[in-house]
Amino acid sequence: MTTMIEVPHGKPEAPADCTLCPRLVAYREENARKHPDWFNGAVPSFGDEKASLLIVGLAPGVTGANKTGRPFTGDWAGDLLYATTDKFGFSTGDYAAHPDDGLELTGAMITNAVRCVPPANKPVGAEVNQCRPFLRNRIAALPNLKVILCLGKIAHDSTVRTLSLKLRDHPFSHASEYPLESGVTLLSSYHCSRYNTNTRRLTPEMFESVFDRARTIISG
């Protein structure tokens, strides 16, 4: 069983060689042996330190962020996410699925509930718990934050717990919206994964509607 360890000094980013979750470390090392030219580490958040929007994903994909070192970069989910950030004015430059493509986020930041790639894209509860202090510190480090947008139920539930809220009062659903006492609004969407989009559980229009709502809240 993994023991919860407090992240020191309010650090919002895990070290690339983070050792808190043995199963994830073993999987990272396995990938590093097979692909030594990949990033193979705890993926840092990406974006604007003055962000009013924080997008919270689940975890790096093995051939996406675990390979490239930038959230949602190199997989299908990133294709949809970054096209949408561009459409709603949260990014500049062209997304070309690699970290030196010149893409920049403006007024937004992207992070993950779990910073290291999990086997089969499925972190276990202890790993989500272990990584939560980094999410808490990431939220606390954004002074202009107005909206947190969670992609998927695991990211939503971890964020609710990070904010010391009760899940029964803030259940996940697509386009759920919870104004919080802090002045931040918690929005959620189905994850923009290939599976969700292929099955039409999430359409581009559905995804864009949540971003449109985020932009409306931020614009006041």
Side-chain angles (χ1 to χ4, degrees):
M1 180 179 295
T2 303
T3 301
M4 188 69 179
I5 299 173
E6 187 72 10
V7 176
H9 309 304
K11 292 182 178 179
E13 303 301 331
D17 60 351
C18 185
T19 60
L20 296 183
C21 301
R23 189 181 77 113
L24 302 190
V25 172
Y27 188 52
R28 272 196 347 240
E29 292 175 346
E30 175 187 338
N31 281 297
R33 287 190 293 271
K34 295 177 181 177
H35 306 283
D37 56 330
W38 289 8
F39 180 76
N40 295 312
V43 176
S45 307
F46 166 57
D48 187 349
E49 293 289 343
K50 297 180 180 180
S52 52
L53 171 66
L54 178 65
I55 300 165
V56 183
L58 170 56
V62 64
T63 59
N66 178 68
K67 179 179 179 179
T68 63
R70 191 176 74 181
F72 288 87
T73 299
D75 53 24
W76 166 253
D79 292 347
L80 178 57
L81 176 59
Y82 286 118
T84 308
T85 61
D86 178 66
K87 182 170 184 176
F88 288 91
F90 290 112
S91 61
T92 59
D94 295 324
Y95 171 70
H98 54 84
D100 57 352
D101 55 14
L103 178 76
E104 294 185 1
L105 296 184
T106 56
M109 179 175 283
I110 301 174
T111 193
N112 279 308
V114 176
R115 303 298 178 87
C116 295
V117 59
N121 293 321
K122 294 180 180 179
V124 299
E127 293 158 355
V128 179
N129 294 343
Q130 190 72 280
C131 215
R132 190 167 296 128
F134 293 115
L135 178 58
R136 181 195 64 215
N137 295 340
R138 181 70 273 168
I139 292 170
L142 296 175
N144 300 322
L145 189 61
K146 292 185 178 180
V147 174
I148 302 173
L149 172 53
C150 301
L151 305 182
K153 187 176 187 302
I154 293 176
H156 171 92
D157 287 358
S158 188
T159 301
V160 168
R161 291 188 171 107
T162 297
L163 297 172
S164 300
L165 302 172
K166 295 179 179 179
L167 288 175
R168 68 172 181 268
D169 296 331
H170 305 83
F172 171 78
S173 65
H174 180 73
S176 61
E177 178 176 334
Y178 300 105
L180 308 179
E181 291 183 2
S182 63
V184 172
T185 298
L186 179 63
L187 297 179
S188 291
S189 169
Y190 292 139
H191 195 281
C192 49
S193 66
R194 182 185 292 274
Y195 175 82
N196 281 345
T197 54
N198 282 350
T199 60
R200 304 291 289 177
R201 187 184 194 205
L202 178 70
T203 65
E205 293 77 15
M206 291 168 63
F207 199 53
E208 290 175 5
S209 71
V210 178
F211 273 82
D212 184 55
R213 180 59 183 152
R215 173 55 75 192
T216 297
I217 294 169
I218 290 166
S219 299

